[in-house]
Amino acid sequence: MLKHFLGNSPRWFKLTIIGFLIFNVFSLYAFGPTVTAWCFIGEFIFTLAMALKCYPLQSGGLLAIQAIILNLTSAKQAYHEVEANLEVILLLVFMVAGIYFMKPLIMYIFSKVFTKVKSKMLLSMLFVILAAFLSAFLDALTVTAVLISVAVGFYGVYHKIHSSDSDYDGSGTLDRKQLSGETLEEFRSFLRSLVMHGVVGTALGGVMTIVGEPQNLLIGERMGWEFIEFFQRMAPITIPVFFCGVLTTLLLEQFKLFGYGAKLPEVARSIIENYTEEEERNRTPKQKFGLKVQAVCGILLIIGLAFHLAPVGFIGLALIILNTAFMGIIDEHKLGHAFEEALPFTALLVVFFVIVAMIHDQHLFKPIIDWALALPIDQQPSMFYLANGILSMISDNVFVATVYIGEVKEAFDNGLINQSQLDKLAIAINTGTNLPSVATPNGQAAFLFLLTSALAPLINLSYMKMVKMAFPYTIVLGTVGLICVKMFL
């Protein structure tokens, strides 16, 4: 059984998971449900950290099933969490698949950008600013899906050249010899740093508007804030944080710190440049028509998302229908490939909601909320910001925001705080759950999506590497956010 259990993951990992499952039973009877629930959280984070050894759906899923069997939560409560986050699930199922059909256009645009913009610093800044701008109007997960598509596509071009007998740069040496060894490692490092800059950009932009992150919408609805009012209320904190984030990007690239600073190897640039030129020359009329269809669909996508004409998942479904109808993709098996990227992560997210339901049922965060509300009024915003930030790092920022805004609204309804204080705490909760949560992949859905995507193993992006690369951003975004909360709230 041990040979087949969790496939080809390391033996020590298999034994650790079995150890967790046995320990949890004893822990429940020896230490009680609260301590055991905290153990479950630690164990689940461990399975995420080992994502490259074993996809967390299996190891984390076994823990989630056990949490329900041990009555730490119920299937009904887990279903309620899924119901509350249905929009995120629809987004993953349909929007990511919709982006799949736009890959040729995305690759066409970004291969031009990659090869024409020679400065890595300028390219990094472009990625952060573009990701932030798009996340503010679309949403962080959609933008991350685009980033992953770009990086996988670009790596695919590299791999295609690497595994052929071509000589695109006319040097007399086969391209695969020039693109091996150190060049390949440098190329991976180059892609890794760009993608990390991009996902941090999604957090910088996502915090600003009511549509940027799922919890923003939730907080905005509870407070009765519209798009413009939400932006204006967050601006004293989010605008300084954004500029400090961009400055951090430049410093990290300039001084090559925390795994950043790798440039696109010159030999790789010239080979890829010549390859893309040849691809353009050989493009068929059908492929050219496809690019036009994708461009029109891209414009419709931006209009649909910017004006929120429908839930994001529905817009993604419309994108699939329009793209495939006009490009003539009508075979079922050709449609199936589009869903391969997102469905494992969607399943993992549902498992994650079981853990979130357990946190809810065991009231694990309640003592922290009660302590924060008991503080003097002038200290409450900064303490709420810190508490939300730290808890978002270990659980999920959408869940933390949901719990906190609910408790704060209840305190307001009971006359414990006034309207002005409620507004300040809502801003602190939103910024707290969005900014410091970049510290770990489980803090933000976009980061978790990146960690468990097909791209992560290609560019050697592990849980700990993400934590290390996010660390400078965590410090800058978290600290600047806290200073702004203290000064302006």
Side-chain angles (χ1 to χ4, degrees):
M1 188 190 80
L2 194 65
K3 183 184 174 186
H4 299 294
F5 178 67
L6 297 181
N8 59 0
S9 56
R11 186 182 171 85
W12 63 264
F13 179 77
K14 298 178 183 188
L15 293 172
T16 305
I17 296 299
I18 292 169
F20 284 162
L21 295 170
I22 296 167
F23 169 79
N24 291 337
V25 177
F26 288 106
S27 174
L28 182 64
Y29 295 104
F31 307 115
T34 305
V35 172
T36 308
W38 278 109
C39 290
F40 266 101
I41 292 172
E43 290 159 8
F44 189 74
I45 290 170
F46 171 79
T47 65
L48 295 176
M50 294 292 121
L52 293 185
K53 303 277 184 207
C54 170
Y55 193 72
L57 177 63
Q58 288 74 29
S59 46
L62 288 170
L63 292 169
I65 291 168
Q66 190 184 36
I68 293 174
I69 292 169
L70 295 179
N71 215 23
L72 292 172
T73 186
S74 64
K76 190 178 179 182
Q77 183 62 39
Y79 181 77
H80 175 68
E81 290 296 335
V82 170
E83 209 173 23
N85 290 280
L86 184 62
E87 202 164 324
V88 178
I89 289 168
L90 286 175
L91 183 155
L92 281 167
V93 174
F94 296 123
M95 185 56 82
V96 176
I99 297 296
Y100 174 88
F101 292 110
M102 293 185 69
K103 267 186 186 173
L105 178 70
I106 293 166
M107 279 308 299
Y108 175 76
I109 294 165
F110 275 89
S111 56
K112 295 271 186 218
V113 173
F114 269 100
T115 49
K116 295 289 183 273
V117 179
K118 299 283 194 284
S119 162
K120 173 71 189 304
M121 202 178 283
L122 183 62
L123 197 59
S124 301
M125 207 168 80
L126 197 68
F127 260 62
V128 171
I129 293 169
L130 200 60
F133 178 77
L134 289 173
S135 295
F137 290 99
L138 313 181
D139 68 272
L141 269 172
T142 305
V143 177
T144 306
V146 172
L147 279 173
I148 291 168
S149 286
V150 168
V152 168
F154 208 50
Y155 188 89
V157 168
Y158 191 98
H159 182 71
K160 194 174 177 182
I161 300 167
H162 185 255
S163 53
S164 69
D165 292 326
S166 59
D167 180 21
Y168 284 105
D169 61 346
S171 62
T173 309
L174 287 180
D175 292 335
R176 67 162 176 255
K177 289 185 178 176
Q178 291 174 283
L179 296 181
S180 299
E182 275 181 41
T183 311
L184 178 59
E185 283 313 308
E186 206 176 325
F187 179 73
R188 279 177 172 154
S189 186
F190 165 78
L191 273 187
R192 200 162 50 230
S193 59
L194 274 184
V195 170
M196 280 302 292
H197 286 315
V199 287
V200 170
T202 65
L204 288 170
V207 66
M208 290 187 183
T209 64
I210 197 165
V211 294
E213 295 274 357
Q215 70 268 28
N216 301 18
L217 193 61
L218 190 128
I219 292 167
E221 280 176 0
R222 286 285 184 101
M223 299 302 295
W225 296 339
E226 292 300 322
F227 191 93
I228 301 295
E229 188 183 358
F230 188 96
F231 175 77
Q232 288 171 339
R233 286 184 181 274
M234 299 299 158
I237 296 149
T238 56
I239 301 296
V241 166
F242 171 74
F243 285 110
C244 290
V246 173
L247 185 63
T248 307
T249 304
L250 297 176
L251 292 172
L252 289 171
E253 286 297 327
Q254 178 65 39
F255 297 106
K256 296 181 166 55
L257 303 168
F258 294 94
Y260 293 98
K263 291 181 167 64
L264 178 61
E266 205 47 55
V267 60
R269 183 192 300 281
S270 65
I271 289 169
I272 290 168
E273 218 165 32
N274 293 332
Y275 170 81
T276 48
E277 281 171 15
E278 188 169 308
E279 284 284 288
E280 250 178 79
R281 283 196 296 272
N282 297 337
R283 193 169 279 126
T284 63
K286 186 183 177 181
Q287 287 170 327
K288 286 176 184 173
F289 176 73
L291 287 177
K292 288 172 187 170
V293 170
Q294 290 156 37
V296 172
C297 287
I299 293 163
L300 293 175
L301 169 70
I302 291 165
I303 292 167
L305 289 168
F307 291 99
H308 305 285
L309 302 178
V312 181
F314 286 9
I315 294 171
L317 181 57
L319 191 66
I320 294 170
I321 293 164
L322 291 171
N323 264 312
T324 53
F326 286 96
M327 290 196 295
I329 302 167
I330 53 170
D331 295 330
E332 189 182 351
H333 69 275
K334 284 184 182 175
L335 292 172
H337 296 304
F339 295 90
E340 284 171 5
E341 176 71 24
L343 281 182
F345 180 69
T346 310
L348 175 62
L349 204 63
V350 173
V351 166
F352 191 57
F353 290 139
V354 176
I355 304 298
V356 168
M358 179 193 71
I359 294 170
H360 191 273
D361 279 350
Q362 298 305 319
H363 309 290
L364 298 186
F365 295 167
K366 192 156 179 34
I368 305 163
I369 298 168
D370 292 343
W371 166 76
L373 279 172
L375 289 168
I377 278 187
D378 58 327
Q379 289 179 25
Q380 283 181 10
S382 51
M383 279 304 144
F384 264 77
Y385 174 86
L386 282 172
N388 276 272
I390 293 162
L391 291 173
S392 293
M393 290 176 197
I394 60 170
S395 68
D396 161 54
N397 56 5
V398 179
F399 168 69
V400 174
T402 308
V403 172
Y404 267 78
I405 198 71
E407 293 287 339
V408 167
K409 200 82 167 65
E410 199 177 305
F412 171 73
D413 293 339
N414 295 337
L416 299 174
I417 54 172
N418 59 26
Q419 182 65 50
S420 169
Q421 187 66 4
L422 176 65
D423 291 346
K424 288 176 183 177
L425 293 181
I427 296 166
I429 290 166
N430 186 64
T431 49
T433 50
N434 274 300
L435 298 172
S437 58
V438 300
T440 62
N442 36 299
Q444 297 229 5
F447 280 57
L448 190 59
F449 186 35
L450 173 60
L451 175 70
T452 57
S453 70
L455 175 66
L458 299 180
I459 58 173
N460 294 339
L461 187 63
S462 64
Y463 186 97
M464 289 316 294
K465 202 165 270 181
M466 275 187 89
V467 171
K468 177 192 165 188
M469 293 180 83
F471 181 72
Y473 282 113
T474 308
I475 298 299
V476 173
L477 271 54
T479 309
V480 174
L482 181 62
I483 292 165
C484 293
V485 166
K486 276 186 177 292
M487 284 172 64
F488 302 120
L489 292 188

